[in-house]
Amino acid sequence: MFELFDAVDALLASRATLPPPAERKRLRTAHGLTIDEVATALKVRRATVSGWEAGKTEPRPPERDAYARLLDKLAELYPVAPAPAAETAPAPETPAPATFTAVPTPAQPLPTEPASDAEVVSAPLKPQVPASDLVDAPAAARTAASATGSTATARRPGAKKAAPAGTPVGEGDPRFANGPLAVVDADADGQVVAYCIGGLVLDVPAKSLASLVEWTLAEGKLGQPKLSGPGRAADPLLVLTPAALERYGLPTELSAEEKDAGRIPEAHKVIKQLARAEWKLTKRGFGPWARIYRPATGSERACVQLCIPSWNALDTRFWGEAGQFPPAELARVLGVYASRVMTPRGSTAVTGLELMTALHPPTRASAPDENGKRTSEHNPGSLGKDPVDPAPCEAPDGHPVLKDLPRFHVRGPSEKLFEEAYDWARPMTDAECTLRHLVGIDVNMAFAAGANGLNVGLGKPTHVKTPAFDPKLPGSWLVDLSHVDLSRVKVGKEWVELDGSLLPSPFTPKGDHPEGPAWYATPTVAYAQELGYDVTPAEAYVRYDNGRYLDGWYQRLRDAYLATMADLGVTADLAPEDFLTAMDGYKAHDPELGIVVAAIKATVKGGLGKLRERPRGEGWRPGERWRALERPTWRPDIRAAVISRTRINLHRKIVKHAAFTGQYPIAVLSDCVVYAADGPSPLDFLPYRDGKPLPGGFKLGINPGLVKHEGTQTVLWGEGVREQFDAPQLNFARFIKDGTVTDADNGE
């Protein structure tokens, strides 16, 4: 009987209904499959699958049944959008945004006074579009190319994974209806397609790289609206897969010589093709992040940026394996990042710096004069368009302002501002050795929280002798803080007694007690006053032109981080126990969004690091200027102020925790703190009462400035590795996450 059933099933399969040939190809390309992959799965020749898609031949049993099953499953993932009803009004010439029915909520006005520590960690998240509100594109957006006379075809088969909440396409601007970027790929037949965010796929008619650039600007509808009034819209970003590189005559990988140079040679045939079409390249040439442009005419820009993952454009330290993703998935990862942060302009560090400028452009249009003409003028609150030299104490070694120093002179604390993140550890006490666990907690987006509400200098420094210290005036101060005794400090309005030997000093990155006068940024000196001690600066370099330059930058990155974490199931309203549970393996819920979270964090740290970028080869010698110095955003004083405030914020919490619980940290590394505890959870030592944390202390939560669980190891593990490496002060915070210790000296 069962043999008869099998025979009937085979007979039905031999007549399995297949979609038309064009639909077969659409379904395959929508899922990012190549003809070779389908042929291998069905155990037929490549030419056979190509014939099925061209309509030249039809599959026969037993391959027909398997092929029909494949197409049926793909059709479920990528259904054909229904055609509009006959009575529907004609689609407008300018298509509506392609994914969302709503646009992001405008940024809330920033407070005028510096935020307190509580304000830094509890700022609310702007409303986001819920995932349930995601809709498919209207018919007008799907047929944008035909409506404008384009030779390209737009189609939206549906993404493998829907874009998360808060991922707008076009953001309400019809010029950018297809989103900020596209991943350009080519199949084995040479057909080029562009994968955009939200599942949109565009057929690209361009036969050369020059024509691809032309198509992008004329018909692609790619780009991103400006982030501030005086700013400009972001240029379209094209991400080229290896197949697209091969299609357009570019190498799929750089040679060793090209990697060293960071670009392909100017004699390359593709660069010559661009030159013949009157396209230009920036000074950095044709590398992993290339910009192709024509000189602007009036206010119109003609510029396209390329990202080439196979040339290592997407650093695996920050983007994981995103560069190896199929086109649709890569478009999703980069699209979420672009929509929530900004269209990438290079590495995450470069993008972090560019975001500052995009939110505070250096110039704006003036009011019209009597003839109605406008001119360019300084944009208040920005860093301006001209670079500013630092004060001598703020300049890194080798800077031109230090050229008169002896060649091998080593500057000490009284000559050099040294505001860096913590790297401190101490031996455990006997009482701590009786406990069972070492628990690490990590401050979320610590440096972003340190930037929020921070008053920083906008202009040149002014040198002042014996100034009165002003905690609201950004600058660098030469002052002796060696008299500050951590054994007796003010916490709030009350003096408390602490064991100062178990605390790191807040005034040095290594936690050592200062021995005499040293240069400090304003937040560090202000904290000495907060602890109850007088300060008398000997001199200072202050900036009377100042403002909260980084507030918008912080807010943009904070909202991007919180929205993406919410998509991963970690929200700001979770109870402490639920938060710890949600954070346990949160990246596994959606690894692609986990990559976006890592990239957002790298944008914060990298952007701040770029404020003091050092020479990068180029034949530089000490005392000479290097390229980064020509940027208005080369501002080591701003970087120092952010790091100072971040370190002080952490020390304030450590002191309040010690005053209330009698517990002291064993190790601190940047934004991670390690305590000894009886249990493996942060709740085993954090003083929660009725679900409420210690005011001003450590609080579990996802907001920037709050803490999460970094990792737990046993006390026996800690003593064992210190004995193994003969390092009594080995910094446990460096290894607490997974317990792997490979090098006690450099922590690698």
Side-chain angles (χ1 to χ4, degrees):
M1 179 64 69
F2 291 109
E3 293 179 357
L4 293 176
F5 287 170
D6 292 340
V8 170
D9 290 342
L11 187 62
L12 293 173
S14 67
R15 300 294 188 270
T17 302
L18 298 174
E23 177 67 3
R24 302 171 194 175
K25 182 177 180 180
R26 182 192 76 81
L27 293 171
R28 174 179 61 78
T29 57
H31 200 62
L33 299 175
T34 65
I35 292 179
D36 290 321
E37 289 174 326
V38 175
T40 300
L42 299 178
K43 299 181 179 180
V44 297
R45 295 185 301 114
R46 182 185 184 282
T48 301
V49 177
S50 182
W52 295 345
E53 291 188 353
K56 297 178 180 179
T57 60
E58 287 294 313
R60 297 180 179 180
E63 291 83 7
R64 185 183 182 93
D65 182 29
Y67 189 46
R69 180 179 178 84
L70 170 66
L71 296 176
D72 286 344
K73 294 296 183 182
L74 292 178
E76 294 177 6
L77 292 173
Y78 310 103
V80 178
E87 65 274 14
T88 302
E93 289 188 1
T94 303
T99 300
F100 284 86
T101 57
V103 295
T105 302
Q108 299 298 318
L110 294 170
T112 56
E113 293 297 323
S116 66
D117 195 45
E119 289 171 334
V120 168
V121 301
S122 62
L125 173 64
K126 291 189 297 187
Q128 298 288 327
V129 180
S132 59
D133 286 349
L134 291 174
V135 295
D136 196 6
R142 282 189 291 270
T143 58
S146 59
T148 58
S150 168
T151 56
T153 302
R155 43 195 165 91
R156 184 181 296 279
K160 181 179 179 181
K161 294 180 181 179
T167 312
V169 175
E171 300 188 25
D173 193 324
R175 296 175 299 164
F176 313 124
N178 294 332
L181 56 86
V183 179
V184 180
D185 191 31
D187 62 19
D189 295 332
Q191 174 63 47
V192 180
V193 292
Y195 293 82
C196 307
I197 65 174
L200 177 67
V201 182
L202 305 174
D203 289 325
V204 181
K207 304 299 183 184
S208 67
L209 187 62
S211 60
L212 175 64
V213 174
E214 297 274 8
W215 172 86
T216 302
L217 294 172
E219 305 174 23
K221 293 187 178 295
L222 296 171
Q224 190 174 39
K226 58 187 179 182
L227 297 180
S228 67
R232 59 177 176 82
D235 298 320
L237 174 64
L238 298 180
V239 185
L240 303 183
T241 67
L245 293 172
E246 188 174 358
R247 173 66 179 81
Y248 290 125
L250 291 163
T252 57
E253 294 183 356
L254 295 179
S255 65
E257 183 178 351
E258 291 167 343
K259 287 180 180 178
D260 291 339
R263 65 187 76 184
I264 59 176
E266 294 183 4
H268 194 281
K269 63 179 182 179
V270 172
I271 297 181
K272 292 181 178 180
Q273 290 173 0
L274 292 171
R276 286 195 296 270
E278 300 183 344
W279 290 106
K280 297 180 180 294
L281 294 167
T282 57
K283 290 183 180 180
R284 62 182 173 184
F286 203 123
W289 291 93
R291 299 189 73 82
I292 303 173
Y293 73 98
R294 285 186 181 132
T297 55
S299 61
E300 295 296 325
R301 285 175 56 84
C303 183
V304 172
Q305 179 164 301
L306 303 183
C307 167
I308 306 178
S310 63
W311 294 6
N312 198 33
L314 301 177
D315 193 321
T316 55
R317 291 174 298 173
F318 314 126
W319 291 102
E321 300 302 320
Q324 308 296 323
F325 283 179
E329 295 178 18
L330 179 56
R332 179 179 184 246
V333 170
L334 294 178
V336 173
Y337 178 89
S339 297
R340 292 180 173 174
V341 179
M342 71 179 299
T343 303
R345 295 288 301 274
S347 66
T348 51
V350 169
T351 304
L353 197 67
E354 291 291 336
L355 180 61
M356 297 179 194
T357 303
L359 293 167
H360 286 285
T363 60
R364 68 178 183 182
S366 67
D369 58 18
E370 62 275 8
N371 298 320
K373 184 179 180 180
R374 297 177 183 268
T375 57
S376 177
E377 66 178 14
H378 174 70
N379 182 28
S382 75
L383 298 181
K385 62 180 181 179
D386 299 319
V388 174
D389 278 340
C393 63
E394 298 165 350
D397 294 337
H399 192 281
V401 301
L402 305 174
K403 62 182 179 181
D404 294 332
L405 288 177
R407 184 176 180 184
F408 296 106
H409 178 72
V410 178
R411 293 184 295 162
S414 62
E415 299 174 280
K416 180 180 180 180
L417 178 69
F418 193 64
E419 295 283 10
E420 299 294 341
Y422 265 131
D423 186 356
W424 170 86
R426 63 169 175 81
M428 286 189 285
T429 64
D430 292 341
E432 289 167 341
C433 288
T434 64
L435 302 177
R436 299 177 59 189
H437 296 94
L438 299 173
V439 184
I441 52 176
D442 180 80
V443 181
N444 295 315
M445 300 273 284
F447 294 98
N452 184 38
L454 178 65
N455 210 29
V456 300
L458 302 178
K460 297 180 180 180
T462 300
H463 188 217
V464 184
K465 288 286 188 178
T466 60
F469 176 69
D470 183 352
K472 295 184 179 181
L473 184 61
S476 301
W477 310 78
L478 180 62
V479 58
D480 189 351
L481 299 180
S482 60
H483 64 290
V484 178
D485 183 6
L486 295 180
S487 298
R488 186 173 184 272
V489 297
K490 265 190 175 181
V491 178
K493 296 182 179 180
E494 297 182 1
W495 288 91
V496 297
E497 303 290 335
L498 300 173
D499 188 342
S501 65
L502 301 181
L503 287 171
S505 168
F507 309 127
T508 62
K510 292 292 185 181
D512 301 326
H513 192 73
E515 298 179 352
W519 286 97
Y520 303 101
T522 297
T524 303
V525 185
Y527 186 57
Q529 280 190 332
E530 181 184 327
L531 293 176
Y533 292 86
D534 294 330
V535 295
T536 308
E539 59 178 305
Y541 288 90
V542 297
R543 287 173 168 83
Y544 295 110
D545 180 14
N546 54 69
R548 294 170 58 166
Y549 174 72
L550 294 173
D551 273 5
W553 183 80
Y554 159 78
Q555 187 179 37
R556 178 84 176 176
L557 290 164
R558 178 205 65 181
D559 288 353
Y561 173 70
L562 292 182
T564 309
M565 290 300 296
D567 287 330
L568 288 166
V570 186
T571 58
D573 57 353
L574 293 174
E577 297 84 355
D578 297 333
F579 169 72
L580 292 173
T581 301
M583 286 295 295
D584 187 14
Y586 70 94
K587 291 183 179 180
H589 296 299
D590 192 329
E592 293 172 15
L593 291 186
I595 290 175
V596 176
V597 170
I600 293 170
K601 292 179 179 179
T603 302
V604 173
K605 292 187 177 180
L608 293 173
K610 277 282 185 179
L611 291 170
R612 200 192 66 168
E613 183 178 359
R614 300 305 306 274
R616 307 180 70 178
E618 305 170 1
W620 174 80
R621 294 181 179 180
E624 298 177 345
R625 296 187 70 83
W626 59 92
R627 184 182 301 178
L629 299 188
E630 307 310 317
R631 297 193 320 250
T633 49
W634 193 86
R635 293 294 301 272
D637 57 298
I638 296 179
R639 172 187 177 273
V642 173
I643 294 176
S644 166
R645 191 166 188 249
T646 302
R647 194 181 66 246
I648 294 308
N649 283 346
L650 183 59
H651 194 273
R652 184 182 293 112
K653 291 180 172 63
I654 289 172
V655 166
K656 289 186 177 181
H657 184 87
F660 188 80
T661 67
Q663 298 170 333
Y664 295 84
I666 292 171
V668 185
L669 181 69
S670 187
D671 48 9
C672 177
V673 188
V674 176
Y675 284 90
D678 274 327
S681 168
L683 290 174
D684 291 315
F685 71 92
L686 293 182
Y688 273 81
R689 290 185 177 180
D690 300 324
K692 296 182 179 180
L694 171 68
F698 294 110
K699 177 183 178 182
L700 290 168
I702 197 59
N703 275 306
L706 306 189
V707 299
K708 63 179 181 294
H709 183 204
E710 178 70 3
T712 297
Q713 304 297 329
T714 65
V715 170
L716 290 177
W717 165 87
E719 288 301 302
V721 294
R722 281 184 170 175
E723 182 178 349
Q724 176 184 353
F725 290 99
D726 192 22
Q729 291 181 288
L730 179 72
N731 195 327
F732 293 142
R734 193 183 304 276
F735 317 107
I736 196 70
K737 191 166 189 176
D738 59 11
T740 302
V741 184
T742 57
D743 192 324
D745 294 324
N746 57 28
E748 293 180 358

